[in-house]
């Protein structure tokens, strides 16, 4: 069931009414208006961060950066996984690793609100993270929205839970970060966040914890009133080890580039460690987060990010994988794992697993000249000769060259990549770089020229469409369309058409670009949904207005050919 609230769109199982957050919708205008003052809320006592006062044996903070025990800079690139609600989906850790992640944030419960995760279960999770060469961020979710959510627990209760796990966590400082409590304050009197946060940090340190500790912001994690930003120095200085990192959650409050870059840069300028511990991208009735800026800014500033979430959301708009299936990434999942500044392109495995060498300064050799195949109107496949490296090649970056500039358009862990979202009848020039686990980059390969076909897509493709209403409220609803390629050839570029019978009007959409005339809707693919392999699916979500009746469309066509409906 969707956990509705006015400033974040994360979903998780709850007994609350599905539309409980709608009671706060009249306050949204004020909420979003207040976000414009975020840039005026500077951290109190801004000064350069000190070096750690008592270095942890493993992951630790130094000069505002998260480092491994050997001093190697570690930038988290990964996802959140709802383990406490889906304890049987442990294969998910291997799946997110296979897609390139170096970190997973694991949802646990301290027993206040959901079923308590036992020491044995937590030990098994840590073991699975290590087996899959993932840094493990463990978080207690029961604290979510305290002060506004009646069912939420306190940070003090969460701290007691961690102390009860001390025997499990001791010795895991190289591999585990302790996130005391998820979004531990709602929108009611968020200034109350600071003292309990300080007290919880001190309680864990007094109990002997040497792990890096992570603390989440108030305002359901989004800090739109600037409380964490203003008090971060106070909280950081309360940790006698200095091994503390702040986590901002970015959803619909962060819908402009200025808001995002201003917030992240405020912490970097202050020398205070920060990551984006959760974020979303798909638009809904609360707004349209600017995930492209979040990811680009995180990459530019070398800050970590952890996307919400792998799978199992009761309203699956933010499912990265459909039904926990890594072969069925949603458009949101494709964006996170395979898009520009995504996980495949930017993640580097922690060196504690032997995946890198901070002393390695030798770059890989240049890849062989790329060769183009399967060129269509909107996509092309490139293949190139593998590079070599003294330690090992970890991946490749494909760049488009235009005049004297180049831009990364794809990343791959193998010596082939399929480029999608290209423009029909257009000439392109591409080249490839190789990189190793230490971040060394090769010289550029020779170039290849590719001209896409003139036609507009794959005509006559066989298809099926699933349509469903995810949720509705007076005057509006959220819908989802799943398009499956049931033909014998890949679909490259598509337009999906259908008609509403009851005056429904699409107001925003993700996964496609809508054009509506009367009740007739035409949806054009966007870059990350353009290619649909044989047997593959893409998902389009949308928000629309409605009247008293909300009849589903009766028929769909793909590039002019009728689709079956499921």
């Amino acid at each position: 069931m969707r956990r509705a609230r006015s400033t974040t769109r994360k979903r998780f199982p709850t007994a609350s009414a599905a539309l409980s957050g709608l009671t706060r919708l009249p306050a949204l205008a004020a909420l979003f208006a207040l976000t414009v003052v975020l840039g005026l809320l500077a951290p109190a006592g801004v000064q350069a961060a000190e070096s750690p006062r008592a270095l942890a044996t493993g992951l630790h903070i130094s000069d505002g950066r998260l480092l491994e025990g050997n001093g190697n800079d570690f930038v988290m690139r990964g996802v959140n996984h709802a383990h406490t609600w889906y304890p049987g989906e442990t294969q998910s850790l291997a799946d997110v690793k296979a897609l390139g992640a170096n970190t997973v944030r694991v949802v646990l419960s301290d027993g206040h609100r959901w079923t308590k995760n036992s020491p044995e279960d937590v030990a098994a999770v840590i073991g699975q993270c290590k087996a899959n060469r993932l840094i493990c961020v463990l978080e207690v979710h029961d604290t979510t929205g305290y002060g506004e959510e009646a069912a939420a627990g306190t940070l003090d209760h969460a701290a007691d839970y961690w102390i009860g796990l001390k025997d499990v966590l001791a010795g895991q400082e190289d591999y585990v970060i302790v996130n005391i409590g998820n979004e531990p304050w709602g929108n009611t009197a968020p200034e109350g966040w600071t003292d309990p946060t300080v007290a919880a940090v001190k309680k864990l340190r007094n109990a002997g914890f040497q792990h890096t500790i992570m603390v989440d912001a108030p305002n359901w994690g989004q800090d739109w009133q600037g409380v964490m930003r203003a008090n971060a120095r106070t909280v950081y200085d309360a940790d006698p080890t200095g091994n503390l990192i702040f986590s901002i959650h970015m959803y619909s409050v962060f819908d402009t580039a200025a808001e995002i870059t201003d917030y992240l840069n405020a912490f970097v300028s202050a020398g205070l460690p920060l990551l984006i511990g959760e974020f979303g991208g798909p638009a809904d009735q609360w707004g349209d987060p600017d995930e492209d800026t979040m990811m680009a800014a995180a990459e530019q500033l070398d800050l970590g990010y952890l996307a919400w979430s792998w799978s199992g959301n009761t309203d699956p708009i933010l499912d990265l994988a459909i039904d926990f299936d890594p072969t069925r990434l949603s458009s949101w999942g494709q964006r996170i794992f395979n898009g520009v500044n995504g996980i495949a392109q930017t993640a580097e495995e922690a060196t504690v697993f032997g995946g890198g060498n901070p002393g390695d300064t030798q770059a890989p050799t240049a890849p062989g000249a790329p060769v183009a195949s399967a060129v269509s109107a909107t996509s092309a496949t490139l293949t190139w000769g593998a590079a070599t490296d003294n330690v090992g090649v970890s991946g490749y970056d494909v760049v488009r060259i235009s005049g004297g500039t180049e831009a990364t358009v794809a990343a791959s862990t193998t010596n082939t990549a399929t480029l999608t979202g290209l423009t029909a009848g257009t000439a392109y020039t591409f080249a490839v770089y190789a990189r190793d686990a230490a971040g060394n980059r090769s010289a550029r390969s020779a170039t290849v020229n590719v001209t896409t076909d003139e036609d507009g897509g794959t005509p006559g493709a066989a298809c099926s469409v699933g349509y469903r209403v995810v949720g509705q409220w007076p005057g509006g609803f959220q819908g989802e369309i799943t398009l499956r390629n049931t033909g014998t050839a890949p679909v490259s570029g598509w337009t999906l058409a259908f008609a509403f019978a009851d005056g429904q009007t699409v107001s925003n959409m993700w996964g496609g670009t809508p054009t509506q005339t009367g009740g007739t809707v035409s949806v054009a693919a966007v870059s990350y949904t353009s290619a649909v392999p044989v047997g593959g699916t893409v998902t389009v979500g949308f928000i629309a207005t409605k009247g008293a009746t909300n009849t589903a469309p009766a028929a769909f066509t793909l590039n002019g050919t009728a689709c079956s409906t499921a």
Side-chain angles (χ1 to χ4, degrees), residues 49-50 53 61 232-239 242 244 246 272-273:
E50 301 172 1
R53 285 147 282 192
I61 302 298
R233 175 61 60 189
T234 297
V235 175
Y236 183 83
D237 287 346
D239 182 356
L244 183 143
F246 296 93
L272 291 166

Side-chain angles (χ1 to χ4, degrees), residues 262-312:
D262 176 70
Y263 195 94
L264 299 180
N265 276 296
F267 278 75
V268 172
S269 297
L272 291 166
L274 179 73
L275 85 155
I276 306 173
E278 288 184 19
F279 69 105
D284 68 7
Q285 64 265 42
W286 287 289
D288 187 1
D290 184 359
E291 72 278 11
D292 290 338
T293 296
M294 296 175 201
M295 297 167 71
E299 177 65 9
Q300 178 187 17
L301 297 171
D302 282 335
L303 301 180
Y305 66 66
L306 304 172
W308 187 275
S309 72
W310 176 242
S311 196

Side-chain angles (χ1 to χ4, degrees), residues 548-559:
T549 305
N550 189 18
T551 306
F556 297 82
T557 62
L558 177 68
N559 294 341

